[in-house]
Amino acid sequence: MSSLTPLEEQGMIRRSWNRCYSFGFKPMDAVPDDLLTEQQVKELRQENHDLLHHVTPVLEKLAPFLRKSGQIALLVDPHGYVLHTRSDPDFDMQAKKLHLRVGANWHEQKMGTNAMGVALQEEKPVRIHGEQHFFLQNRFLTCAASPIFTGTGELAGVINISARMEHYHPFVSSLVCFLAEAVQNRLLLEQAKEEHLVTLKELEHMSNQFHAPLLTLDEDNRIIRANQAARRILGKDCIGKEWKENKRFVIETIADNRRKRWRSVAVVAKESKQQPLYTFDQIVGSCASMQNVKALAQKVAETDLAVLLIGETGTGKELFAQSIHSASSRAGHPFIAVNCSAIPENIIESELFGYEGGAFTGAKGEGNIGKFEAAHQGTLFLDEIGDMSLRAQAALLRVLQEKVITPVGSVKSKPVDVRIIAATNKDLREEIKANRFRSDLYYRLKGIQITLPPLRKRSDLIELAEHILRTLNVSSTTTLSPAAKTKLLSYAWPGNVRELYSVLNQAAFLAEGNQIEPEHLPFECEERTEEPPRKVPSLPVLEKEAIQQSLQMTRWNISKAARMLQISRNTLYRKMQEYNLFQP
């Protein structure tokens, strides 16, 4: 299931709040506490037996993750009733008080704006964070939900994961989408099992294309089933329509010779080539500092030296890394990117060097190659190298020195030939002084250091902005007004080119084909209101408050309060008299 852009998600939440006001709700209202009876729950679960049959095992597998993360997973039916939950025991009691429990109803018309209710109404995945909830009582939560559809496109229910805001992780939004699509495909395959031999062959095709858009055609060339990925391409109402040729799909015909039946499965056509890498031609701009950096990168691409790219977030470090690879003698071999900060320390060796089958619990039976072996004769791009743990740094240094890897669980070493390009937004010399980065690894990586200028120091910002607008395929009338250009030049751009792209993308949408004006440029700093400086209390005020608090906490036990304050009893008596503090 595709993720939504922030703008689309905000539109869904805004529509939900409008619906809540139309229901007569107010944010301060008490949340309804009615629950289904035990018999009603039993009947409801029986009605949704097939859905529960496929979802329950999935949520059970999530149990270890939920126990450690302070989160709760729920399945709701198309009417908003909770059918099943799995949660962290420590969060379970509070979840039940909030009616995150079987038998509760989380439809918008009951619980206002919430992820489950919005996903049911909009039939799209959504995340509702903190104050985006309509009722105040729910605003300490962050929830992500994604709808589940049957093979015929009907809404079967919603999967949701909720947690306190401080326990929520951004990847949960992707997780619920993956879970919903996995359940949907299981429903699709279960339906196929009932159609005998011809559909069993269809099932084999579907299993092989698990994550791909796929659909099934009947004898009249009409679409009888489609997964969610296919419906995003063909439209939600594609079921029952006649199939028309689509270059994105290829047709594979399945025949049952015994029954003289046939069926066609349309699967997404495989791309003949991988996504092309960036080249130096795609690095635009007339800024002198950027031109100097580009010239240096082009020169180093002709060598096999290690490269260290330094630059703030969003300055284009991976763009340069790919361009160097594309212009090098290794261009015909793999370019493998690794986010060093995202690899857990306990699996760093298996990720980088691979492992033998059965090397550890959860390992694939056939083993797996690591990033170094995957990049053999090509380029290994180590992004966010400054966030790599010291243990991982030691393992990396060993390979860079010896140019051989030993997969986890193996006693045989393998030679590897890779070119290393590393990137970071940190000052590695300062990291070395703080004992967070190895100096010997630093000098191994720093064959040629290239520092990318931040956007605020580039003289070609407007030129770059106009180029980005052209790449967005917007109307030719969507240009920057003089006032908009002035506003762009006055901003500090903490997110650099990545932020510029995001701002212009939203501005082009808001301008609706017209000229972009300053009000179409949404800068994050404008959305934040600075808190007024707080008055610092004087030391006597702080001292009096500390004494009062200690006396209250010890129920005016002078000895205990004195120990808590780390002063003598006599000093405490004197301070109590000084501040006129007497036991009530």
Side-chain angles (χ1 to χ4, degrees), residues 39-68:
Q39 180 60 32
Q40 288 173 321
V41 169
K42 184 177 179 180
E43 293 173 357
L44 193 63
R45 288 174 62 87
Q46 187 60 39
E47 291 175 11
N48 292 274
H49 175 268
D50 290 344
L51 180 62
L52 283 164
H53 173 72
H54 291 291
V55 175
T56 303
V58 174
L59 295 189
E60 290 303 315
K61 289 181 180 179
L62 277 181
F65 160 75
L66 295 170
R67 277 197 298 271
K68 297 176 182 178

Side-chain angles (χ1 to χ4, degrees), residues 50 53-54 149-154 183-200 202-203 206 216 223-227 231 239 261 263:
D50 290 344
H53 173 72
H54 291 291
F149 297 94
T150 67
T152 56
E154 297 174 354
V183 171
Q184 176 179 308
N185 282 345
R186 290 183 64 168
L187 290 170
L188 196 66
L189 300 180
E190 184 67 26
Q191 182 180 356
K193 287 180 182 179
E194 300 173 358
E195 299 184 1
H196 309 297
L197 180 62
V198 64
T199 307
L200 289 177
E202 174 189 346
L203 177 63
M206 290 180 174
T216 307
I223 301 170
I224 58 174
R225 284 196 297 276
N227 69 357
R231 286 204 296 273
I239 303 299
R261 298 175 62 204
R263 180 158 298 154

Side-chain angles (χ1 to χ4, degrees), residues 383-454:
D383 197 12
E384 307 294 351
I385 190 72
D387 294 315
M388 182 177 269
S389 67
L390 287 171
R391 173 183 169 183
Q393 291 176 36
L396 175 60
L397 177 64
R398 187 169 62 251
V399 175
L400 296 182
Q401 290 173 335
E402 300 173 4
K403 299 189 184 302
V404 296
I405 59 168
T406 304
V408 176
S410 175
V411 294
K412 295 181 179 179
S413 296
K414 299 179 181 180
V416 288
D417 172 24
V418 298
R419 192 225 188 118
I420 299 295
I421 300 179
T424 183
N425 59 4
K426 293 186 175 181
D427 185 337
L428 294 186
R429 291 169 299 183
E430 292 299 320
E431 295 297 299
I432 292 170
K433 291 178 183 178
N435 296 318
R436 290 190 293 264
F437 202 84
R438 296 178 62 115
S439 59
D440 45 5
L441 177 60
Y442 171 68
Y443 291 111
R444 280 279 176 181
L445 297 172
K446 187 190 173 186
I448 298 294
Q449 179 171 309
I450 299 177
T451 302
L452 305 184

Side-chain angles (χ1 to χ4, degrees), residues 539-555:
L539 286 176
V541 171
L542 291 174
E543 185 177 55
K544 182 179 179 180
E545 290 178 353
I547 293 172
Q548 285 178 314
Q549 187 175 358
S550 64
L551 290 170
Q552 291 169 359
M553 291 176 65
T554 60
R555 297 184 179 179

Side-chain angles (χ1 to χ4, degrees), residues 550-551 554-565 567-573 576 581 583:
S550 64
L551 290 170
T554 60
R555 297 184 179 179
W556 290 80
N557 184 309
I558 302 300
S559 297
K560 290 182 179 180
R563 283 198 297 272
M564 183 179 294
L565 295 166
I567 59 178
S568 67
R569 287 166 49 92
N570 289 338
T571 300
L572 179 56
Y573 277 123
M576 290 171 62
L581 298 176
Q583 184 173 1

Side-chain angles (χ1 to χ4, degrees), residues 449-485:
Q449 179 171 309
I450 299 177
T451 302
L452 305 184
L455 184 56
R456 63 183 174 276
K457 292 185 178 180
R458 290 178 57 170
S459 60
D460 58 356
L461 190 152
I462 300 302
E463 177 187 347
L464 182 59
E466 290 173 339
H467 169 77
I468 290 173
L469 282 176
R470 288 193 294 272
T471 64
L472 292 175
N473 293 321
V474 296
S475 169
S476 58
T477 59
T478 305
T479 58
L480 293 165
S481 70
K485 292 178 181 179

Side-chain angles (χ1 to χ4, degrees), residues 121-139:
Q121 182 68 32
E122 299 277 349
E123 297 188 359
K124 293 179 181 178
V126 67
R127 185 196 71 166
I128 304 296
H129 179 65
E131 294 187 355
Q132 292 174 335
H133 288 88
F134 187 83
F135 288 128
L136 291 176
Q137 183 175 328
N138 298 328
R139 291 186 183 177

